[in-house]
């Protein structure tokens, strides 16, 4: 496979190190997808608040998927790889020793071990300063908080650590030998000053580290270095294959959804979700409700994340759905959506707060819990199905409403496996009262990575032009009547979400003690 | 069912069945001290509650049992009545001798079983890895035990074969119920995680697709399809990603030889390990170790 003939067509490979799986795509230089492959890896929970992954398993899975994909799809169709672009889930931390050997597992974004550190910092004056400089909400997800936790609770490992990497930095180091992180992913660490584009002195001091303990900062377009010879040979890639550092999955999903410029926002709902806008200014929010991540030197991706997306509907299906086949959850969810579509907008007065996993934006309350509200004797299972879906979307709408305090949003681009279920897309249009467009390429992260690579290669003049090429397969127009109904329910939803703070705390404590 | 008690070496009915250690139905109508103290044995002990309510301690865990419940005591596990007392009620039990193979404690049945080896291994694995010894509402088990009793006591033509078949059936039933009970067949990611943990705990074992499928409670074809669509890999290729990633960790620690690492992580030889490793990473295990122990050239 090492022999490369001249009549081969050029292609770009994107590699997304996602929360549950690595996804590899190949694009031709016109942006058409040649093929894709994925490989899943597990998340371990050795303690209740812990979420960890095995860095070697991620690396090997990535390598295995990439190698098979290159041989079976890319080379088989006579393509030559000229660029490889990386993206990864945000907020991961991997301590390594001076030989580059991991000191334990990667701590993922979902890990909550630093919750005490987070609460203390968030309520302090330095917490407010750090949020303003770094743009990352003070939360256990933030690597800043995780490193501080390690400094306080895992002193031995903290002392032995040569560098704190992100999972992407580790994978790139394995492939090229260089310790680097792009501005974009760095801007989700809570340690990076998004105004000065360098590590933030206050944040470093709080975490108890110096900049030398972190990888070198580079732009998202930056070549990550040369592939080590052994990987060139085993993957059949030439020495001049350009490896682009790339960005985070969130920023790439936004670019890949074509949301670039005023008046637009993306709604992403997978297991969890987020709503994002892009602009040349950050969102300044006294209540620290938003993240502000850097994509390039002139663009910020801002928005709010939710814990409770499609995972909540899956929970509902597992508990209350009818399973015709072993593990037939897809079929079961289809049936439930079918049931839900038989109920009018507003589920005849049944309202659901979806906070089964606590919530981030906009209420930022880890103790929040799920509530079915307004139950009466006429409600049936189908009402629960509809209320559950509507509740997940009201939550997204409440993020949208706070975003609209800062930006005007005229249209939405929706992606993610839950958001793009046609029933859900229509509901999003109705609840937001805004037209919804669904991208043709269902993987916005891969699409965004391609657009970034292509811009870096000079195919597009800039990211604005690149984003304009995103094609939409389907659009949903809001139904005026339903919107009138949803407006009323969304108001009740919003009030309920903050009304139970004391009771949420009390019940969360009781649940903690029962464990 | 009437009371009876058959004991290997004593009761002539069990003479042709060396693997049946005890088989009995007992009605207990008085509570006596020290009537049911904690014991352990090398056989698999299966109890089925016919009447009454029993409180037992199985492997240090307390369980309350009702009619229709089946209890499975693993070889070597301790069990007895709460405070050494057998409660009032009616019970049926059968003890079956099995062979346990070191080092992975594989359970094998004797030649009496007509099941193929791979199915026995899979069933044995499920029995061994089950995290609850009690199955509720298994009337079918009561029926099978009843039939075994009928065969042993009436000794009609073919009873030898039939009895052994019924014991096989009993084990199949228990294995199926255990898989259904462990995960409700709803959450594939969760079942897959159980499997992942089992694979990691016993990486040196020569896992077959049949064994893996059995752990998730699926046939091999459906299992392979599910794993492929969920993980992107065939079951055996997924296993290779775990093996290699564990091997990498051991290589980086530098205290085990490459051969030991190969065997510990489930490769059948260091040659097999080296070939697979090199194919995937481009490095031989020793080259990879060298690069990571002193990778000064990269700094």
């Amino acid at each position: 496979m090492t022999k490369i003939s001249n009549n081969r067509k050029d292609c770009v490979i994107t590699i997304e190190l996602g929360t549950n799986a690595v996804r590899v795509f190949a694009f031709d230089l016109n942006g058409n997808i040649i093929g894709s492959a994925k490989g899943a890896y597990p998340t371990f929970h050795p303690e209740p608040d812990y979420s960890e992954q095995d860095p070697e398993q991620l690396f090997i899975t990535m390598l295995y998927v990439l190698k098979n994909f290159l041989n079976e799809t890319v080379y088989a169709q006579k393509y030559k790889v000229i660029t490889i672009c990386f993206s990864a889930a945000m907020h991961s931390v991997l301590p390594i020793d001076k030989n580059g050997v991991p000191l334990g597992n990667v701590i993922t974004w979902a890990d909550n071990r630093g919750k005490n550190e987070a609460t203390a910092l968030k309520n302090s004056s330095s917490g407010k300063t750090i949020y303003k400089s770094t743009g990352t909400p003070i939360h256990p997800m933030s690597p800043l908080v995780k490193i501080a936790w390690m400094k306080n609770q895992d002193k031995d490992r903290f002392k032995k650590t040569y560098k704190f990497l992100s999972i992407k930095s580790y994978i790139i180091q394995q492939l090229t030998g260089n310790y680097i992180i792009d501005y974009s992913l760095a801007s989700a660490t809570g340690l990076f000053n998004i105004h000065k584009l360098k590590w933030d002195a206050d944040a470093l001091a709080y975490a108890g580290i110096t900049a030398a303990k972190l990888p070198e900062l580079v732009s998202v377009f930056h070549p990550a270095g040369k592939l080590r010879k052994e990987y060139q040979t085993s993957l059949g890639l030439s020495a001049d294959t350009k490896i682009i550092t790339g960005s985070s999955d969130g920023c790439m999903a936004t670019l890949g959804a074509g949301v670039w410029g005023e008046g637009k926002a993306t709604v992403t709902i997978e297991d969890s979700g987020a709503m994002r806008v892009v602009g040349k200014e950050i969102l300044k929010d006294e209540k620290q409700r938003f993240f502000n991540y850097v994509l390039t030197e002139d663009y910020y991706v801002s928005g709010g994340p939710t814990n409770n997306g499609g995972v909540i509907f899956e929970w509902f299906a597992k508990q209350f759905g009818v399973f015709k086949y072993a593990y037939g959850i897809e079929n079961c969810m289809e049936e439930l959506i079918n049931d839900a579509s038989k109920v009018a907008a507003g589920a005849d007065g049944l309202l659901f707060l979806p906070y089964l996993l606590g919530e981030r934006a906009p209420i930022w309350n880890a103790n929040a819990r799920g509530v079915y509200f307004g139950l009466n004797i006429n409600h049936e299972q189908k009402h629960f199905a509809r209320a559950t879906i509507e509740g997940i979307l009201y939550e997204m709408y409440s993020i949208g409403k706070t975003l609209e305090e800062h930006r005007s949003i005229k249209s939405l681009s929706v992606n993610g496996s839950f958001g793009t279920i046609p029933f859900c897309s229509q509901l999003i249009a109705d609840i937001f009262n805004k037209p919804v467009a669904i991208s043709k390429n269902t993987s916005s992260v891969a699409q965004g990575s391609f657009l970034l690579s292509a811009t870096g290669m000079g195919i597009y003049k800039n990211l604005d032009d690149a984003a304009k090429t995103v094609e939409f397969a389907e659009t949903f127009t809001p139904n005026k009547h339903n919107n009138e109904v949803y407006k009323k329910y969304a108001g009740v939803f919003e009030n309920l979400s903050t009304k139970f703070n004391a009771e949420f705390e009390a019940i969360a404590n009781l649940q903690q003690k029962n464990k | 069912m009437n009371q009876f008690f058959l004991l290997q070496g004593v009761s002539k009915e069990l003479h042709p069945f060396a693997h049946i250690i005890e088989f009995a139905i007992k009605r207990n109508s008085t509570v006596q001290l020290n009537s049911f103290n904690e014991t352990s044995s090398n056989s698999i002990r299966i109890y089925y509650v016919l009447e009454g309510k029993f409180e037992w301690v199985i492997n240090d865990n307390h369980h309350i049992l009702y009619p229709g419940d089946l209890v499975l005591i693993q070889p070597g596990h301790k069990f007895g009545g709460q405070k050494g007392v057998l409660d009032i009620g009616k019970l049926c039990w059968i003890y079956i001798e099995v062979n346990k193979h070191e080092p992975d404690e594989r359970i094998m049945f004797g030649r009496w079983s007509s099941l193929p080896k791979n199915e026995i291994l899979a069933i044995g694995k499920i029995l061994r890895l089950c995290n609850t010894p009690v199955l509720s509402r298994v009337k079918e088990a009561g029926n099978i035990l009843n039939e075994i009793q009928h065969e042993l006591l009436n000794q009609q033509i073919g009873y030898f074969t039939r009895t052994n078949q019924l014991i096989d059936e009993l084990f199949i039933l228990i294995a199926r119920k255990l898989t259904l009970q462990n995960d409700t067949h709803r959450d594939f990611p969760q079942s897959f995680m159980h499997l992942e943990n089992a694979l990691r705990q016993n990486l040196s074992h020569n896992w077959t697709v049949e064994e893996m499928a059995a752990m998730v409670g699926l046939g091999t074809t459906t299992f392979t399809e599910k794993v492929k669509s969920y993980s992107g890999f065939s079951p055996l290729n997924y296993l290779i990603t775990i093996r290699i990633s564990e091997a990498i960790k051991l290589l980086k620690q530098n205290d085990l030889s490459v051969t030991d690492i190969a065997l510990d992580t489930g490769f059948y030889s260091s040659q097999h390990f080296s070939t697979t490793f090199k194919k995937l990473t481009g490095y031989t295990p020793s080259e990879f170790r060298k690069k990571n122990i002193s990778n000064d050239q990269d700094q």
Side-chain angles (χ1 to χ4, degrees):
Chain A
M1 274 304 158
T2 43
K3 209 181 127 222
I4 289 156
S5 60
N6 291 330
N7 55 13
R8 292 207 164 185
K9 301 162 278 185
D10 290 344
C11 81
V12 171
I13 299 280
T14 65
I15 299 177
E16 175 194 355
L17 301 157
T19 300
N20 307 311
V22 53
R23 289 183 176 78
V24 181
F25 276 74
F27 290 84
D28 69 20
L29 298 192
N30 299 317
N32 301 308
I33 295 176
I34 299 162
S36 68
K38 76 156 185 181
Y41 31 73
T43 303
F44 304 102
H45 305 283
E47 313 250 347
D49 278 326
Y50 287 29
S51 277
E52 298 185 344
Q53 289 177 328
D54 175 353
E56 308 299 8
Q57 191 173 11
L58 261 75
F59 178 62
I60 282 301
T61 304
M62 187 278 298
L63 216 50
Y64 203 154
V65 170
L66 179 62
K67 187 177 164 126
N68 282 347
F69 178 65
L70 288 173
N71 286 330
E72 287 163 14
T73 306
V74 177
Y75 301 150
Q77 294 182 45
K78 304 229 178 317
Y79 280 96
K80 180 196 176 198
V81 179
I82 50 169
T83 300
I84 297 177
C85 178
F86 281 91
S87 68
M90 290 183 272
H91 314 306
S92 64
V93 175
L94 176 65
I96 53 150
D97 72 10
K98 61 178 184 348
N99 290 325
V101 177
L103 297 165
N105 280 336
V106 190
I107 305 173
T108 77
W109 62 269
D111 192 288
N112 276 324
R113 72 186 72 183
K115 58 188 177 189
N116 294 338
E117 280 78 6
T119 313
L121 181 61
K122 188 169 181 175
N123 297 329
S124 71
S125 65
S126 69
K128 286 185 183 106
T129 320
I130 290 177
Y131 170 70
K132 272 184 196 157
S133 328
T134 66
T136 306
I138 309 290
H139 184 271
M141 70 183 182
S142 172
L144 165 77
V145 173
K146 288 168 175 148
I147 295 172
W149 175 89
M150 215 177 285
K151 179 184 69 174
N152 298 336
Q153 307 294 332
D154 197 353
K155 294 180 179 138
D156 201 35
R157 182 148 67 131
F158 183 82
K159 232 182 268 163
K160 277 190 198 141
T161 300
Y162 169 68
K163 275 183 197 298
F164 295 94
L165 302 182
S166 72
I167 184 61
K168 190 171 84 173
S169 307
Y170 179 67
I171 301 282
I172 288 179
Q173 193 273 335
Q174 290 295 296
L175 292 172
T176 67
N178 299 326
Y179 289 112
I180 53 175
I181 187 168
D182 56 276
Y183 294 149
S184 185
L185 198 59
S187 71
T189 61
L191 291 152
F192 178 77
N193 190 309
I194 55 174
H195 312 282
K196 298 179 187 158
L197 301 183
K198 56 181 203 181
W199 298 117
D200 184 72
D202 292 340
L204 290 175
Y206 168 76
I209 57 171
T210 60
K213 292 267 177 196
L214 296 167
E216 187 197 336
L217 290 162
V218 298
S219 120
V220 288
F221 297 110
H222 184 84
K226 265 203 167 85
L227 267 187
R228 294 182 202 251
K229 268 212 180 64
E230 288 76 4
Y231 294 122
Q232 290 174 23
T233 316
S234 77
L235 295 169
L237 293 165
S238 70
D240 55 2
T241 310
K242 199 169 163 193
I243 315 290
I244 295 182
T245 316
S247 171
S248 68
D249 54 0
C251 289
M252 288 295 84
T254 311
L255 175 62
V259 172
W260 215 250
E262 298 298 309
K264 291 182 189 165
T266 50
V267 169
T268 305
I269 317 180
E270 298 274 357
D271 282 356
S272 58
M275 182 159 170
R276 305 183 180 92
V277 293
V278 174
K280 299 206 171 191
E281 302 284 331
I282 65 161
L283 303 184
K284 290 183 182 140
D285 191 62
E286 282 306 314
K287 295 181 196 155
Q288 307 187 32
R289 289 175 300 185
F290 304 120
F291 55 72
N292 288 290
Y293 300 137
V294 174
L295 180 58
T296 63
E297 287 78 343
D298 0 278
Y299 280 109
Y300 294 96
V301 174
S302 309
T306 164
N307 296 343
N308 301 292
V311 67
I312 301 303
F313 188 58
E314 237 173 70
W315 162 82
F316 181 80
K318 273 183 234 159
Q319 308 310 318
F320 307 112
V322 177
F323 278 67
K324 287 191 190 151
Y325 323 103
Y327 303 116
I329 192 155
E330 288 85 4
N331 169 274
C332 169
M333 295 205 295
E334 266 171 44
E335 293 287 318
L336 286 170
I337 287 170
N338 198 16
D339 289 351
S341 69
K342 292 174 189 149
V343 181
D348 292 334
L350 182 59
L351 194 67
F352 174 58
L353 306 187
Y355 308 129
L356 275 65
L357 295 168
E359 191 50 291
R360 289 185 284 169
I363 59 171
W364 293 95
N365 184 354
N367 291 327
R369 292 294 180 268
V371 177
Y372 285 96
F373 184 78
L375 254 179
N376 69 41
I377 201 80
N378 295 320
H379 286 138
E380 299 169 21
Q381 170 159 351
K382 60 185 179 186
H383 293 95
F384 281 88
R386 179 148 194 139
T388 304
I389 297 170
E390 288 177 344
I392 295 166
L393 303 178
Y394 291 143
E395 153 57 23
M396 190 55 84
Y397 177 66
S398 65
I399 300 177
K401 259 187 84 178
T402 50
L403 280 174
E404 280 191 303
E405 292 168 18
H406 300 260
R407 293 276 166 83
S408 102
I409 298 168
K410 295 197 177 65
S411 67
L412 301 175
S413 169
V414 170
N415 53 46
S417 53
F418 185 75
T420 52
I421 296 170
F423 181 73
C424 298
S425 308
Q426 181 62 54
L427 254 64
I428 296 172
D430 295 351
I431 294 174
F432 280 79
N433 199 24
K434 296 184 200 306
V436 159
I438 310 291
S439 317
K440 202 165 134 198
N441 175 5
T442 49
S443 175
S444 301
V445 178
Q447 184 72 39
S449 304
F450 166 75
L451 294 176
L452 185 81
S453 313
T455 306
M457 290 156 68
I459 295 175
Y460 304 115
K461 202 165 82 220
N462 50 40
L463 292 177
D464 304 68
D465 281 6
K468 281 181 197 142
T469 65
V470 173
E471 293 176 47
F472 296 96
E474 234 181 320
T475 51
F476 295 84
T477 345
N479 174 315
K480 279 267 164 322
H481 169 74
N482 288 352
N483 176 254
E484 290 302 321
V485 176
Y486 285 135
K487 249 187 224 156
K488 292 172 195 150
Y489 282 109
V492 181
F493 178 93
E494 203 180 317
N495 289 338
L496 286 178
S497 295
T498 49
K499 199 155 225 156
F500 298 135
N501 283 347
E503 289 76 14
F504 278 150
E505 192 182 339
I507 206 83
N509 282 337
L510 285 170
Q511 290 175 358
Q512 194 70 34
K513 277 175 195 136
N514 283 339
K515 264 179 189 165
Chain B
M1 287 197 263
N2 294 322
Q3 294 193 66
F4 65 90
F5 184 74
L6 302 177
L7 182 63
Q8 186 59 246
V10 176
S11 315
K12 63 178 183 344
E13 289 88 342
L14 292 187
H15 188 66
F17 303 97
H19 52 289
I20 306 181
I21 308 300
E22 258 184 64
F23 183 39
I25 289 185
K26 180 185 170 90
R27 178 187 294 282
N28 190 40
S29 41
T30 53
V31 172
Q32 289 180 349
L33 277 178
N34 297 322
S35 56
F36 197 39
N37 287 324
E38 200 171 70
T39 58
S40 73
S41 88
N42 289 325
S43 49
I44 288 189
R45 299 184 283 182
I46 297 164
Y47 282 82
Y48 180 74
V49 180
L50 293 159
E51 291 168 20
K53 175 187 162 190
F54 294 88
E55 292 195 36
W56 289 357
V57 178
I58 305 165
N59 220 25
D60 296 329
N61 289 314
H62 180 247
H63 294 270
I64 300 178
L65 308 163
Y66 297 97
D69 286 358
L70 181 139
V71 181
L72 178 80
I73 317 287
Q74 309 273 350
H77 280 190
K78 297 174 295 181
F79 116 102
Q82 177 93 325
K83 300 184 191 131
V85 163
L86 183 64
D87 303 287
I88 292 171
K90 193 174 170 189
L91 282 169
C92 176
W93 68 83
I94 188 166
Y95 294 180
I96 306 288
E97 187 177 67
V98 294
N99 308 320
K100 259 174 106 176
H101 292 266
E102 300 297 332
D104 52 354
E105 303 199 313
R106 227 181 314 165
I107 292 174
M108 276 302 288
F109 298 163
R111 293 177 63 179
W112 56 268
S113 171
S114 48
L115 298 176
K117 190 179 169 215
N118 59 351
E119 288 198 339
I120 296 177
L121 280 174
I123 290 174
K125 185 140 246 143
I126 293 168
L127 299 187
R128 198 166 55 74
L129 294 170
C130 81
N131 36 26
T132 164
V134 180
L135 290 167
S136 299
R137 292 185 300 277
V138 255
K139 289 252 155 48
E140 305 97 307
N143 297 340
I144 294 175
L145 289 165
N146 199 1
E147 280 189 60
I148 296 175
Q149 181 200 356
H150 182 85
E151 292 293 339
L152 281 178
L153 299 182
N154 292 320
Q155 305 198 350
Q156 284 176 297
I157 181 75
Y159 86 101
F160 176 75
T161 308
R162 193 68 197 114
T163 301
N164 287 335
Q165 282 174 348
L166 285 163
I167 298 173
D168 278 340
E169 271 180 45
L170 185 62
F171 278 116
I172 292 172
L173 174 76
I174 293 172
R176 286 190 178 176
K177 291 277 174 190
L178 282 173
T179 21
L180 275 175
Q181 181 159 318
N182 268 351
D183 26 66
T184 55
H185 271 59
R186 301 198 154 193
D187 196 337
F188 188 76
Q190 207 180 344
S191 302
F192 193 75
M193 196 64 211
H194 282 304
L195 175 65
E196 165 110 22
N197 287 332
L199 296 175
R200 282 172 175 269
Q201 269 165 28
N202 202 351
L203 210 50
S204 60
H205 175 66
N206 181 19
W207 288 90
T208 63
V209 179
E210 287 81 5
E211 281 176 290
M212 292 196 247
M215 289 211 53
V216 182
L218 291 173
T220 51
T221 316
T222 321
F223 172 72
T224 304
E225 272 171 30
K226 276 267 168 201
V227 171
K228 179 89 193 156
S229 84
Y230 177 71
S231 76
F233 293 106
S234 73
L236 290 177
N237 283 346
Y238 188 81
L239 181 58
I240 287 179
T241 64
I242 304 180
R243 291 200 157 128
I244 296 278
S245 44
E246 282 305 306
I248 285 184
K249 271 183 258 179
L250 295 170
L251 284 170
K252 287 182 176 177
Q253 278 167 17
N254 205 23
D255 38 38
L256 282 178
S257 75
V258 171
T259 310
D260 285 345
I261 292 174
L263 299 179
D264 279 1
T265 53
F267 293 93
Y268 27 85
S269 66
S270 62
Q271 189 52 45
H272 177 218
F273 173 47
S274 293
T275 321
T276 315
F277 195 91
K278 169 122 193 182
K279 218 166 105 186
L280 199 51
T281 66
Y283 294 90
T284 65
S286 329
E287 286 166 1
F288 188 86
R289 169 170 270 175
K290 226 166 154 186
K291 166 184 90 120
N292 280 285
I293 298 301
S294 58
N295 59 353
D296 293 335
Q297 73 269 25
D298 297 327
Q299 308 283 312

